[in-house]
Amino acid sequence: MGRLMRCTTPKLRAATTAAASAGLLAGVVALAPAATAVSPTTVTAEYDCGTWGSTTLTLTATQNGTNATITLISTDVIVPIAVPANSVSATLRLEKNGGPATTLFTGQTNPAGPLTRLGPLIGAVAPGDSLDSSLGGDSLSFVVFGVSGRCVAVTKQSPGPFVFD
């Protein structure tokens, strides 16, 4: 029986390897998600929660494409009794591009214990969206043990609004 021989040259092998590598790299780059960012990532604002008290909220935002999350941390305990994890439903309303339109962030995510943190709350953003505290009305509403609470933003965010890529 005869042998089937393949004749290759080092230059042909190198060219084939380079072409395959370039094709693979192009495919990986094409599949990678678009790099997105929000700036600033952390802001503070004052909220009046009526009978629940007043607080400075620290809002931290992240972005992945058109999805964004905002986590709220209070300087004060909003609910002083232990609440089960993921039992508080909340909605944060932020003013969009100077208003009057708003963007909602919603979720049911909180750690177990006294309520000082909500989120991440999830919302949709578009490139160029500028989101700031929505003064007046229900800036933040939440339900704990079936009891509704609401907070009104009394200041704009500092150092400024979230701007999404």
Side-chain angles (χ1 to χ4, degrees):
M1 297 238 165
R3 259 187 181 180
L4 183 59
M5 295 185 74
R6 190 164 50 163
C7 181
T8 61
T9 64
K11 287 182 181 178
L12 179 60
R13 192 175 315 133
T16 302
T17 301
S21 296
L24 181 60
L25 180 60
V28 168
V29 170
L31 294 175
T36 55
V38 58
S39 179
T41 56
T42 302
V43 299
T44 59
E46 300 293 324
Y47 282 75
D48 179 1
C49 301
T51 58
W52 300 86
S54 294
T55 188
T56 298
L57 286 180
T58 300
L59 295 81
T60 303
T62 62
Q63 181 183 5
N64 184 4
T66 59
N67 295 317
T69 63
I70 296 182
T71 300
L72 309 170
I73 298 176
S74 172
T75 56
D76 305 300
V77 175
I78 296 174
V79 177
I81 59 174
V83 292
N86 306 320
S87 64
V88 178
S89 52
T91 300
L92 174 68
R93 179 182 313 274
L94 294 178
E95 182 182 83
K96 181 178 177 180
N97 301 327
T102 58
T103 298
L104 299 179
F105 289 82
T106 61
Q108 192 165 339
T109 309
N110 61 282
L115 187 60
T116 58
R117 179 179 160 268
L118 290 171
L121 305 177
I122 301 168
V125 295
D129 278 357
S130 174
L131 302 180
D132 205 340
S133 296
S134 181
L135 303 179
D138 287 340
S139 307
L140 172 64
S141 56
F142 53 92
V143 178
V144 181
F145 298 123
V147 177
S148 297
R150 74 177 263 243
C151 299
V152 177
V154 294
T155 65
K156 292 292 189 176
Q157 294 167 189
S158 178
F162 293 121
V163 178
F164 295 87
D165 279 350

